[in-house]
Amino acid sequence: MDLTKLKHLRFFGLHLGSLLSKSLFLIVTALIIRTLFLPESFKFRTRNLHKFDLLESKSGNPRTRFLEVPQIVWGLNNQKIAFARACLTARLLNRTLLMPSLSASLFYKEIDQLQPISFDKVFQFDKFNSLCKGFVQLGRYSDLHNHSDIVTVQKGSGRRWTPERDLDQLHNLKHDESETIRIAGKNPFLWHDHWPVKDYAQVFECLVLVEEFSNEADKVVAKIREFGSKSKSDIDSPYVAVHMRIEKDWMIHCKKLQQRSNVSEICSSKNEITTRVSNIPGLKTPTVLYLAVADALLEDGSILNGWGPGLHPVEKKKLGVVEIYKNHPYLIQSAIDYEVCLRADVFVGNSYSTFSSLVVLERSQKMVKMGVKRGCEIGMNVKWPSFAYNLKGEFGGPRPWMTDFLDSSLQAISYGSNNISC
């Protein structure tokens, strides 16, 4: 290679190196300026790229965030209210409620003896999400993407934990970006109530028993109608369901409640119930009375006596369906009885019983959908009529009962009331 060509190559190499140095300098300078002046939101996302998979799915859509609540306990209807309150809390936080654990057994203090049962073993999971789509939704733990991205929040308690403080806590949690908020502490039934009756009703309407237990209720209803029919082929024989609260522990509870609240119309004796049911205005006879009573009363034959002419009382034992109930834990037994009362042509209960109150709520909802606004005034001339035997109505019968969907909270249904909108 001659000297002239060598000089040209050296010049080209020096020039190329200078260009590369300048380019590298410009790139580094641009990166520094970009870091200094970019918006905070971008820097946050850059520093937290490991969390990107929590914010977007593979399809590019926002990922779901979840709410986890403590195990739901106590009786069937306490559990339904607790579940609905958890759903509405998740709705307020714009989150999906992780499917909670219910309690198959009835224990109030013996927590170690509780028998957990998954929600989808009692109610239809997919049906719930289908019926409640756009309002509230349930998720499964398998839907979680990062099991460690959880913030635990302790629910306040005591007199100082006011509804206002509770609501402030919930509003603050709206801004939490964790995939899962876990609320620790007391049973959701005891949480402060921030929602109107109509919102609870919308959740309850989405609760559909799994087919196995719905079929069990079908068998009981068929037996009742068969008992009341003149021929076994007549399956449309009507029946009245009476939720009788006269067991010993209830009578002790309601008498104490009467003393504390200075209200006299809470407890009802067996004689008062039979007299008032016999005097329901417009009740067509003969008809069958299905007595929904505690198992302890099944051995007391006297509960079948003293009813008015044309009223034919039956209970589980007389119907021959005791085995249907005994095959299941307490929660499922209550769910079957609830379904039987819900489907009755006429329902009579106690306005201080949560069981009775929720049955009436669902029946009232059916009436509203049929265009009935004041079932109290129509009485037996409307489908799905309900009555409260602890409150005296016209002609010595029980008072007509319809849920007030304009009520601002579920207080009256959760703890009982003699204000039944009729």
Side-chain angles (χ1 to χ4, degrees), residues 76-132:
L76 168 70
N77 294 288
N78 297 119
Q79 292 191 51
K80 289 173 73 172
I81 290 172
F83 169 77
R85 192 159 293 154
C87 283
L88 295 173
T89 301
R91 173 178 165 81
L92 178 64
L93 299 176
N94 196 27
R95 288 175 176 267
T96 293
L97 178 67
L98 284 171
M99 184 173 64
S101 174
L102 306 179
S103 302
S105 53
L106 178 63
F107 289 99
Y108 290 97
K109 295 181 180 179
E110 302 86 345
I111 303 298
D112 58 317
Q113 297 185 48
L114 288 173
Q115 299 173 18
I117 183 171
S118 178
F119 172 90
D120 60 356
K121 298 297 183 184
V122 183
F123 299 104
Q124 297 183 35
F125 179 91
D126 292 332
K127 188 74 171 178
F128 179 89
N129 279 344
S130 174
L131 293 174
C132 267

Side-chain angles (χ1 to χ4, degrees), residues 344-415:
D345 298 271
V346 181
F347 175 73
V348 191
N350 187 302
S351 68
Y352 279 84
S353 161
T354 309
F355 182 103
S356 292
S357 295
L358 285 188
V359 169
V360 172
L361 183 149
E362 289 203 52
R363 292 171 66 87
S364 298
Q365 200 166 22
K366 294 175 184 289
M367 293 169 68
V368 169
K369 288 193 171 184
M370 293 172 60
V372 178
K373 294 183 179 179
R374 291 292 297 171
C376 312
E377 299 169 359
I378 300 172
M380 289 296 297
N381 295 322
V382 68
K383 195 173 182 182
W384 310 110
S386 301
F387 299 86
Y389 57 67
N390 59 304
L391 302 173
K392 189 175 182 179
E394 294 182 349
F395 310 109
R399 190 181 302 175
W401 185 2
M402 188 174 181
T403 299
D404 181 5
F405 291 101
L406 298 178
D407 206 335
S408 60
S409 78
L410 206 69
Q411 175 75 20
I413 291 172
S414 299
Y415 297 102

Side-chain angles (χ1 to χ4, degrees), residues 79-368:
Q79 292 191 51
K80 289 173 73 172
I81 290 172
F83 169 77
R85 192 159 293 154
C87 283
L88 295 173
T89 301
R91 173 178 165 81
L92 178 64
L93 299 176
N94 196 27
R95 288 175 176 267
T96 293
L97 178 67
L98 284 171
M99 184 173 64
S101 174
L102 306 179
S103 302
S105 53
L106 178 63
F107 289 99
Y108 290 97
K109 295 181 180 179
E110 302 86 345
I111 303 298
D112 58 317
Q113 297 185 48
L114 288 173
Q115 299 173 18
I117 183 171
S118 178
F119 172 90
D120 60 356
K121 298 297 183 184
V122 183
F123 299 104
Q124 297 183 35
F125 179 91
D126 292 332
K127 188 74 171 178
F128 179 89
N129 279 344
S130 174
L131 293 174
C132 267
K133 187 176 182 180
F135 188 67
V136 295
Q137 289 288 278
L138 283 178
R140 298 182 185 275
Y141 280 85
S142 58
D143 296 332
L144 294 175
H145 293 88
N146 187 341
H147 289 263
S148 63
D149 188 29
I150 298 176
V151 60
T152 300
V153 177
Q154 185 71 33
K155 266 287 182 184
S157 60
R159 293 182 180 180
R160 293 185 179 181
W161 190 257
T162 62
E164 291 75 23
R165 288 186 65 184
D166 188 75
L167 195 57
D168 284 344
Q169 182 190 55
L170 293 177
H171 283 306
N172 288 333
L173 287 175
K174 283 184 178 182
H175 307 294
D176 192 287
E177 294 192 352
S178 304
E179 185 181 15
T180 304
I181 293 177
R182 173 185 292 154
I183 296 184
K186 55 191 177 183
N187 172 19
F189 181 84
L190 297 174
W191 293 358
H192 283 299
D193 184 4
H194 306 294
W195 298 274
V197 170
K198 64 181 181 63
D199 285 359
Y200 283 97
Q202 194 164 343
V203 176
F204 294 142
E205 192 174 22
C206 303
L207 291 172
V208 180
L209 280 180
V210 296
E211 192 171 320
E212 177 189 357
F213 305 139
S214 181
N215 289 342
E216 299 285 58
D218 290 342
K219 295 174 187 176
V220 178
V221 171
K223 282 281 189 181
I224 296 170
R225 295 197 186 282
E226 179 183 299
F227 186 90
S229 62
K230 293 181 180 179
S231 64
K232 292 188 178 181
S233 60
D234 181 10
I235 60 172
D236 294 324
S237 178
Y239 71 95
V240 177
V242 183
H243 181 223
M244 289 184 71
R245 297 304 309 267
I246 57 172
E247 62 273 22
K248 187 176 180 179
D249 60 342
W250 165 261
M251 296 304 287
I252 293 172
H253 163 73
C254 73
K255 286 177 180 178
K256 288 182 178 178
L257 186 58
Q258 284 186 162
Q259 292 173 353
R260 288 198 309 268
S261 59
N262 198 27
V263 175
S264 60
E265 295 178 309
I266 300 178
C267 304
S268 290
S269 66
K270 184 253 183 180
N271 289 336
E272 186 174 75
I273 296 172
T274 57
T275 300
R276 289 185 177 172
V277 171
S278 300
N279 288 315
I280 294 176
L283 180 63
K284 295 180 180 179
T285 56
T287 191
V288 177
L289 302 180
Y290 172 69
L291 308 182
V293 296
D295 287 349
L297 295 174
L298 294 179
E299 302 303 321
D300 182 4
S302 67
I303 65 170
L304 298 175
N305 302 327
W307 300 90
L311 300 180
H312 304 287
V314 295
E315 24 78 313
K316 302 181 190 76
K317 189 175 180 181
K318 189 169 183 177
L319 281 176
V321 296
V322 171
E323 290 304 314
I324 291 178
Y325 288 84
K326 282 190 173 180
N327 288 334
H328 305 290
Y330 170 82
L331 182 71
I332 307 307
Q333 293 180 29
S334 297
I336 294 171
D337 239 13
Y338 182 94
E339 195 70 21
V340 173
C341 290
L342 183 63
R343 299 182 194 180
D345 298 271
V346 181
F347 175 73
V348 191
N350 187 302
S351 68
Y352 279 84
S353 161
T354 309
F355 182 103
S356 292
S357 295
L358 285 188
V359 169
V360 172
L361 183 149
E362 289 203 52
R363 292 171 66 87
S364 298
Q365 200 166 22
K366 294 175 184 289
M367 293 169 68
V368 169

